[in-house]
């Protein structure tokens, strides 16, 4: 279960502030802000920004590092969530930034519409997920932020401004780490609803899967490989097929049958918090791994993730496999499970898939911060030859500017939009190379 958190519904002062903002979802980071405000109106949120020297945004608290923290004011906009507004003529839905994806999905499905993809956890807020480069899976599917067509933000002066797809700076404004302003609403691309069936293939060998990783990851609409970097522990593949155009079973599944739907996953576990397998169902109830109305994932954990070019995926996976073996069980002792996914390229400046087809290497660690950070540095060393990019909202140490071709453009944009650095903190400055 997650560590203790501040209850956003708890009583606050007359200005909406509370002395203790609590911890993140996993309980591995205690917020240090001098002031926490859960805004009760857009006007209040604007005034908080206008009157604060430093501001960072807090959503559903699913970042695993200090990205959302500040010495100044933590501004929580989850209280401004409103019912999504569907625009059929434009093919979009407008949502408040603090709205969880689960709420958006339920609203769209009830009206016969859908998003192209979702992340593993539907509990995360739209603004938080898109601004950190969060993604789902699928070699033909882009990150969640690539489905954003318009943003509305509160700038450092407290004024609202909007920017839409096709305008100058838009590609730098979606995955923006909260450094350009407080996102209050987003327009997301929608399409007609569709069904998905997910099947779990178990008792696979890690070494065999990674040697055919391109075929495995490209074999269904959304594919996740779960394992622990060795052949002794279980390796499983969760394939999500979009219907009715699912096609024939992939070659790699020959001789391997999907396990019965009721069988607990050896890597994901079992229980009613896992979305249903084996039978078709709405995209909203199959694309996430976890149900939005249940406690997600493991809770007391730390997560890290790195993104490598798809062309280098097999070599990068071998490198980390070799590292796991070389640690003499040290990595395995810290690791709960890893997940490997494919992502289509995009043009968003700080996207993990900017300019290249991508494979993501995800690590769910036990909540042992010091030991995990030491191992993270070793994983980063192993991935040096593969131009790895970190997930901005998870635990990492190294940022290589050469691996982010538009990083200098984003730094210039942040300095122009927010010259006083109202929305920057040490973590953002580390990414931008300003600290």
């Amino acid at each position: 279960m997650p560590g203790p958190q501040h209850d956003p519904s708890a009583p606050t002062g007359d200005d909406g502030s509370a002395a203790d903002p609590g911890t993140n979802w996993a309980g591995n980071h205690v917020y240090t802000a001098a002031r926490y405000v859960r805004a009760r109106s857009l006007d209040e949120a604007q005034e908080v920004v206008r009157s604060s020297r430093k501001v960072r945004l807090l959503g559903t608290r699913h970042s695993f590092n200090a990205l959302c923290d500040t010495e100044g004011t933590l501004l929580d906009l989850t209280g401004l969530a409103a019912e999504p507004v569907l625009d059929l003529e434009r093919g979009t839905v407008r949502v408040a930034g603090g709205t969880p994806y689960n709420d958006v999905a339920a609203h769209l499905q009830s009206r016969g519409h859908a998003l192209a993809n979702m992340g593993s956890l539907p509990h995360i807020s739209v603004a938080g997920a898109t601004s950190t480069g969060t993604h789902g899976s699928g070699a033909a599917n882009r990150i969640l932020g690539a489905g954003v067509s318009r943003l509305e933000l509160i700038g450092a002066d407290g004024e609202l401004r909007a920017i839409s797809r096709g305008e100058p700076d838009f590609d730098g404004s979606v995955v923006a780490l909260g450094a350009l302003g407080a996102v209050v609403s987003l327009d997301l691309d929608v399409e007609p609803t569709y069904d998905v069936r997910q099947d779990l293939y178990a008792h696979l060998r890690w070494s065999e899967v990674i040697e055919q990783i391109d075929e495995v990851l490209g074999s269904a609409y959304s594919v996740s490989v779960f394992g622990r970097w060795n052949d002794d522990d279980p390796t499983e593949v969760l394939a999500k097929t979009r219907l009715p155009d699912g096609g024939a079973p992939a070659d790699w599944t020959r001789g391997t049958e999907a396990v019965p739907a009721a069988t607990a996953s050896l890597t994901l576990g079992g229980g009613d918090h896992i979305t249903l397998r084996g039978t078709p169902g709405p995209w909203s109830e199959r694309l996430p791994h976890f149900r939005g109305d249940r406690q997600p994932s493991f809770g007391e954990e730390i997560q890290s993730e790195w993104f490598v070019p798809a062309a280098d995926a097999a070599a990068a996976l071998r490198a980390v496999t070799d590292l796991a073996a070389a640690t003499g069980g040290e990595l395995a002792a810290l690791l709960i499970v890893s997940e490997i996914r494919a992502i289509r390229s995009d043009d968003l400046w700080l996207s993990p898939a900017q300019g290249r087809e991508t494979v993501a290497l995800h690590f769910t660690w036990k909540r042992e911060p010091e030991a995990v950070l030491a191992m993270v540095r070793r994983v980063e060393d192993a991935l040096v030859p593969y131009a790895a990019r970190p997930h901005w909202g998870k635990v990492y140490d190294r940022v290589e500017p050469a691996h982010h071709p538009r990083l200098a453009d984003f730094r210039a944009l942040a300095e122009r939009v927010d010259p006083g650095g109202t929305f920057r903190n040490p973590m953002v400055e580390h990414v931008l190379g300003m600290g």
Side-chain angles (χ1 to χ4, degrees), residues 131-410:
S131 66
T132 55
T134 297
H135 59 97
S137 183
N141 296 322
R142 299 176 299 171
I143 67 168
L144 302 182
V148 175
S149 64
R150 180 183 181 274
L151 293 166
E152 188 174 33
L153 310 92
I154 303 172
D157 58 0
E159 298 301 311
L160 286 175
R161 65 183 182 88
I163 185 167
S164 297
R165 184 184 287 150
E167 295 182 22
D169 301 332
F170 178 79
D171 285 346
S173 299
V174 179
V175 183
L177 314 183
L180 305 183
V183 177
V184 296
S185 73
L186 309 90
D187 289 7
L188 308 178
D189 298 333
V190 300
E191 59 186 84
T193 189
Y194 53 90
D195 282 350
V196 170
R197 187 190 72 247
Q198 53 178 340
D199 296 298
L200 182 71
Y201 296 87
H203 309 297
L204 305 172
R205 289 177 59 82
W206 176 260
S207 58
E208 294 175 357
V209 171
I210 66 173
E211 288 307 318
Q212 50 186 335
I213 194 64
D214 293 343
E215 180 187 354
V216 173
L217 292 179
S219 62
Y221 186 72
S222 172
V223 178
S224 294
V225 175
F226 296 97
R228 288 173 45 82
W229 304 96
N230 63 67
D231 284 339
D232 295 326
D233 288 319
T235 295
E236 299 177 337
V237 174
L238 185 60
K240 301 172 189 266
T241 302
R242 180 165 172 163
L243 304 174
D245 53 355
D251 288 344
W252 68 266
T253 64
R254 290 177 180 172
T256 302
E257 293 185 357
V259 300
T263 305
S265 163
L266 296 174
T267 52
L268 278 177
D272 67 356
H273 65 298
I274 304 292
T275 52
L276 293 176
R277 303 193 306 267
T279 58
W283 63 279
S284 54
E285 299 174 9
R286 298 295 188 275
L287 286 179
H289 298 337
F290 301 96
R291 286 176 52 171
D293 60 350
R294 297 290 190 273
Q295 168 63 44
S297 196
F298 299 97
E300 293 186 356
E301 65 190 62
I302 296 174
Q303 294 181 8
S304 299
E305 190 168 31
W306 292 273
F307 305 89
V308 300
D312 293 331
L317 288 165
R318 287 188 214 106
V320 180
T321 301
D322 291 344
L323 170 65
T327 64
E330 188 179 351
L331 186 150
L334 287 171
L335 184 70
I336 297 173
V337 69
S338 275
E339 180 178 9
I340 313 301
R341 290 172 283 181
I343 311 166
R344 180 183 166 192
S345 68
D346 62 66
D347 296 321
L348 304 179
W349 294 357
L350 290 190
S351 165
Q354 187 274 326
R356 67 191 196 188
E357 306 300 318
T358 294
V359 170
L361 284 59
H362 181 275
F363 297 72
T364 298
W365 308 103
K366 296 175 183 176
R367 202 172 71 186
E368 300 179 26
E370 293 184 6
V372 166
L373 181 57
M375 187 58 65
V376 158
R377 289 169 174 154
R378 297 179 72 175
V379 174
E380 288 177 332
D381 287 343
L383 293 176
V384 164
Y386 310 107
R389 300 168 177 171
H391 190 301
W392 304 122
K394 300 182 181 181
V395 174
Y396 61 91
D397 184 55
R398 181 177 299 167
V399 178
E400 295 288 351
H403 300 165
H404 306 271
R406 303 303 300 270
L407 184 60
D409 295 323
F410 181 79

Side-chain angles (χ1 to χ4, degrees), residues 94-157:
R94 180 163 297 177
V95 302
T99 307
Y101 265 96
N102 188 60
D103 293 355
V104 179
H107 182 88
L108 290 176
Q109 174 60 23
S110 69
R111 289 158 176 79
H113 286 80
L115 301 174
N117 208 355
M118 289 181 69
S120 301
L121 295 174
H123 311 72
I124 54 180
S125 68
V126 176
T130 55
S131 66
T132 55
T134 297
H135 59 97
S137 183
N141 296 322
R142 299 176 299 171
I143 67 168
L144 302 182
V148 175
S149 64
R150 180 183 181 274
L151 293 166
E152 188 174 33
L153 310 92
I154 303 172
D157 58 0

